[in-house]
Amino acid sequence: MTEKQKTASNIISILKKTYPQADCTLTYESAWQLLVAAILSAQCTDARVNLITPSLFARFPTSESTAKADPEDISDLIRSCGLYRSKTRSIVGSAKMIQEQYKGTVPDKLEALTQLPGVGRKIANLILGDYHHIPALVVDTHCARISRRIGLTRKEDPAGIEKDLEKVIARDDWIAYGHLMVLHGRACCTARKPQCDLCPIADLCRYGKNHQDVRERPQA
Ligand code: SF4
């Protein structure tokens, strides 16, 4: 095991104890519904998405019903989560493609998922990991920022970060790592002002080692 792999493993083990509830915070009952919720979550909070999806899924619960929907009806139901016109195009476009090319089943391959309109690696990896339970790293803004601060990557692009993380994080922890990063990014390692003094992984973090105040930081 390399030093970076040991560091990653220790960080994950501490964060699993800190955030035992780490899991996807979107509400869904099928791969299709997770895909839709993930598309809606762009520049919108998961909490707001979860307010919108019950009425959307009551009317259009499947890719089949969504493929036949009038896009205006979808837009009306998702308007409050922002970017609703492009999100409508992505949702209806994905529904049609899944019906026409995959017999109504959401694919379980990254290459196929990323062909769907509005679906990039982040959403594709979320579907693979959270629905299909296939190890996959979701690199969102929290994961990218914290992974750079910790020192597990120096890359800026999500695909490059994903590749670096694949080398240092055990496959079994890929799914959990994404969720842990989201919770840690919201609670402690925020974009504007990381709270290194209070952070349980400060001793293992490149940025934290230079910024923590040891007198105030509780023991991990
Ligand atoms: S020590 Fe600071 S920069 Fe590092 S993970 Fe914790 S809050 Fe973020």
Side-chain angles (χ1 to χ4, degrees):
M1 217 189 230
T2 65
E3 277 308 308
K4 256 191 194 175
Q5 287 170 334
K6 274 188 222 157
T7 301
S9 167
N10 289 336
I11 283 173
I12 290 166
S13 134
I14 292 168
L15 291 182
K16 276 182 178 173
K17 287 183 196 131
T18 310
Y19 308 108
Q21 77 285 19
D23 207 348
C24 181
T25 49
L26 294 168
T27 307
Y28 60 93
E29 288 182 1
S30 63
W32 167 250
Q33 293 189 359
L34 177 57
L35 183 76
V36 172
I39 289 172
L40 292 175
S41 71
Q43 294 184 42
C44 181
T45 63
D46 289 359
R48 174 157 289 283
V49 171
N50 289 338
L51 287 175
I52 290 168
T53 46
S55 45
L56 176 65
F57 295 153
R59 260 187 91 184
F60 305 107
T62 61
S63 58
E64 187 180 9
S65 52
T66 310
K68 294 178 195 154
D70 179 340
E72 284 302 315
D73 290 339
I74 304 276
S75 282
D76 285 346
L77 289 161
I78 68 168
R79 197 172 294 259
S80 64
C81 74
L83 305 172
Y84 65 93
R85 293 217 177 274
S86 68
K87 288 178 182 176
T88 297
R89 279 195 297 277
S90 298
I91 291 168
V92 176
S94 289
K96 287 183 176 165
M97 196 181 273
I98 286 169
Q99 287 304 303
E100 288 160 13
Q101 297 188 19
Y102 302 105
K103 298 181 181 163
T105 302
V106 175
D108 61 359
K109 298 277 184 298
L110 183 81
E111 299 71 24
L113 283 163
T114 51
Q115 296 302 309
L116 300 171
V119 177
R121 294 183 74 88
K122 186 177 79 171
I123 293 179
N125 281 330
L126 183 76
I127 304 290
L128 291 178
D130 278 62
Y131 190 81
H132 294 297
H133 308 295
I134 297 168
L137 278 156
V138 175
V139 178
D140 72 344
T141 178
H142 296 293
C143 179
R145 178 181 72 251
I146 302 171
S147 299
R148 275 197 302 273
R149 284 176 177 167
I150 291 170
L152 298 181
T153 183
R154 288 183 189 276
K155 307 253 170 64
E156 295 284 336
D157 65 301
I161 294 169
E162 200 184 310
K163 276 209 164 50
D164 282 350
L165 295 179
E166 282 179 3
K167 290 180 206 148
V168 294
I169 295 173
R171 269 179 79 82
D172 284 353
D173 281 328
W174 287 2
I175 298 170
Y177 184 78
H179 295 316
L180 292 169
M181 290 296 101
V182 171
L183 291 182
H184 194 52
R186 287 178 187 157
C188 185
C189 192
T190 55
R192 290 199 175 174
K193 202 172 183 305
Q195 302 188 41
C196 305
D197 297 347
L198 303 171
C199 179
I201 57 170
D203 285 341
L204 299 163
C205 171
R206 187 170 59 192
Y207 183 100
K209 281 179 199 163
N210 297 323
H211 291 80
Q212 62 182 309
D213 180 342
V214 181
R215 289 165 306 170
E216 293 183 15
R217 185 171 49 78
Q219 293 301 304

